[in-house]
């Protein structure tokens, strides 16, 4: 479960650090401005897990939706059903017939994950130097951010995370996570819609 939660917060990271060059500053400012106007977001996703030891890959699909400032739904629909819902201080995790509800104020790990996730979406993570060291690059129609984890738990799991942003929309389109054991996880967002109405039922706990 902890691995799934880290995937969620990483997907929503919108350049969590201070830039070192003028080019990086310009890219981060653009992404930050877009994040400030992001009231809601909905998208489909395809997640591909590459397993180094087995020389194999696992593909799963699903959808996500976010609503400012503290609501998120991340739902796997194929080949298995797994749903994570964050609504304020409460988290609901559902897998199969099992359903768990957690108060983030009573769980240090969930509280930290919730904080980073929400700060990332609204752009507050731009000054979060404690979590990541970031470098930015421009190429064609994309910005690419390479994140180097700085906190112990994250460093134990990932060597780096690479996020690709659409330059026109300033929204993340792909995330690739490189694990310490050589495995990689790639998440591609498709059919993204910003600031469209999201039913309250999506965030029901």
């Amino acid at each position: 479960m902890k691995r799934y939660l880290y995937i969620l917060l990483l997907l929503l990271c919108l350049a969590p650090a201070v830039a070192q060059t003028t080019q990086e500053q310009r890219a981060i400012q653009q992404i930050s401005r877009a994040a400030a106007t992001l009231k809601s977001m909905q998208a489909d996703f395809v997640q591909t897990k590459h397993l180094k030891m087995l020389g194999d890959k696992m593909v799963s699909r699903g959808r996500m939706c976010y609503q400012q400032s503290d609501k998120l739904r991340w739902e796997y629909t194929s080949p298995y059903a797994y749903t994570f819902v964050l609504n304020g201080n409460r988290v609901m995790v559902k897998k199969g017939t099992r359903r768990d509800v957690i108060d983030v104020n009573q769980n240090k790990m969930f509280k930290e994950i919730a904080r980073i996730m929400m700060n990332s979406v609204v752009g507050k993570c731009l000054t979060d130097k404690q979590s990541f060291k970031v470098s930015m690059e421009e190429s064609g129609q994309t910005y690419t951010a390479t994140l180097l984890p700085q906190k112990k738990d994250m460093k134990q799991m990932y060597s780096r995370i690479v996020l690709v942003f659409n330059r026109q929309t300033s929204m993340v389109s792909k995330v690739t996570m490189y694990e310490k054991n050589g495995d990689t996880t790639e998440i591609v967002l498709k059919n993204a819609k910003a600031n469209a109405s999201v039913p309250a039922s999506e965030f029901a706990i």
Side-chain angles (χ1 to χ4, degrees):
M1 182 185 297
K2 188 174 181 179
R3 183 178 299 273
Y4 284 120
L5 298 177
Y6 276 127
I7 288 175
L8 298 181
L9 72 91
L10 290 169
L11 180 65
L12 294 173
C13 280
L14 302 178
V18 175
Q20 297 178 346
T21 68
T22 301
Q23 184 180 33
E24 289 176 324
Q25 287 178 345
R26 183 170 62 249
I28 289 178
Q29 287 171 359
Q30 180 176 330
I31 293 169
S32 182
R33 285 194 297 269
T37 63
L38 187 65
K39 305 300 182 184
S40 69
M41 177 181 174
Q42 301 174 71
D44 300 321
F45 67 83
V46 177
Q47 178 179 306
T48 304
K49 175 81 171 184
H50 296 272
L51 304 171
K52 182 181 179 181
M53 292 293 292
L54 301 178
D56 198 4
K57 65 179 181 181
M58 298 184 298
V59 179
S60 53
R61 292 174 170 81
R63 66 188 186 93
M64 63 81 67
C65 51
Y66 157 81
Q67 184 173 300
Q68 196 181 68
S69 60
D70 59 0
K71 298 179 177 65
L72 174 71
R73 181 185 185 94
W74 187 271
E75 181 178 1
Y76 291 91
T77 57
S78 173
Y80 53 85
Y82 181 95
T83 304
F84 171 97
V85 176
L86 170 63
N87 191 332
N89 292 325
R90 302 178 72 203
V91 167
M92 186 271 287
V93 178
K94 183 178 180 181
K95 185 175 183 180
T97 58
R98 179 173 177 174
R99 179 178 178 274
D100 297 307
V101 177
I102 301 155
D103 184 339
V104 298
N105 287 326
Q106 297 179 7
N107 187 300
K108 184 178 180 181
M109 182 188 76
F110 273 85
K111 187 173 183 178
E112 177 67 6
I113 289 172
R115 182 190 69 81
I116 296 176
M117 288 167 65
M118 291 301 112
N119 283 353
S120 298
V121 172
V122 299
K124 292 182 180 179
C125 58
L126 290 171
T127 57
D128 189 5
K129 300 179 185 179
Q130 294 183 347
S131 296
F132 300 102
K133 179 179 179 181
V134 176
S135 61
M136 296 282 292
E137 296 181 1
E138 294 183 24
S139 178
Q141 298 303 308
T142 63
Y143 294 122
T144 299
T146 299
L147 289 67
L148 302 180
Q150 300 298 295
K151 291 190 175 181
K152 182 179 179 180
D153 288 347
M154 294 287 286
K155 290 173 73 173
Q156 290 177 343
M157 293 180 64
Y158 300 104
S159 58
R160 70 186 187 281
I161 303 102
V162 178
L163 297 90
V164 177
F165 298 87
N166 182 304
R167 288 184 64 178
Q168 184 176 1
T169 64
S170 297
M171 296 173 65
V172 65
S173 60
K174 183 170 73 172
V175 179
T176 306
M177 288 159 282
Y178 296 85
E179 299 181 29
K180 288 286 190 177
N181 63 7
D183 293 351
T184 62
T185 301
E186 179 185 272
I187 300 175
V188 177
L189 289 180
K190 300 181 176 181
N191 308 317
K193 295 187 295 184
N195 298 327
S197 178
V198 181
S201 58
E202 295 281 22
F203 310 108
I205 293 180

